[in-house]
Amino acid sequence: MGYALVLAALFTLVVIGSLLVARDALLSDYPPAIRERYGEQSTRGRRTATVAGLLNLLLFVAVPVAGVLDLQGRVDGRLGFVPPFALGTVGFLALTLFDLLVIDWLLFCTVRPRFMTLPGTEGMPEYRDLAFHARVLVPRPVPWPLLAIPGYGVLVGGTAWLVETLTG
């Protein structure tokens, strides 16, 4: 759980940091009516979104690597697949729930700090649309964001197992 908290905290820093640099950095994550009223994403917003994406990619690699190395230091012998799989799955599940409940529902929909509100869209009812964020998490016909949770676990577990197998 410690690595899940680290992942969620660092992800949150990247999200909030990107919005502080460019309020439209995460424009593609806003409800359609807000995106339509706001208009085109700024150059600064696009650059900031790219940097934020790269930072999150780095987090999604570095945190599980640190977690697996920590697990290896705690056990005698091989880890196998299951402990790293659990680390990846729990970490991504915690991140997903934190993103939905805290970042999306609490901050974006309820508190609505200035750095999350796009200029010219203040007061739009779509900022309070809790269902929008749930629909993004569980799109139809395939809820791929939910499937990514165990998928990330498989990736972490499989990679750890493969590295263990190849390095003897």
Side-chain angles (χ1 to χ4, degrees), residues 120-144:
T121 66
E122 299 88 349
M124 289 184 70
E126 287 79 6
Y127 278 106
R128 294 182 296 282
D129 187 359
L130 300 174
F132 167 78
H133 300 280
R135 285 190 307 273
V136 167
L137 188 59
V138 189
R140 294 182 183 194
V142 179
W144 63 266

Side-chain angles (χ1 to χ4, degrees), residues 99-153:
D99 182 39
L100 176 67
L101 300 174
V102 176
I103 296 174
D104 292 344
W105 285 359
L106 178 65
L107 287 177
F108 186 86
C109 293
T110 307
V111 176
R112 288 188 308 273
R114 180 174 159 82
F115 67 88
M116 288 184 139
T117 305
L118 296 169
T121 66
E122 299 88 349
M124 289 184 70
E126 287 79 6
Y127 278 106
R128 294 182 296 282
D129 187 359
L130 300 174
F132 167 78
H133 300 280
R135 285 190 307 273
V136 167
L137 188 59
V138 189
R140 294 182 183 194
V142 179
W144 63 266
L146 289 181
L147 296 175
I149 295 168
Y152 184 71

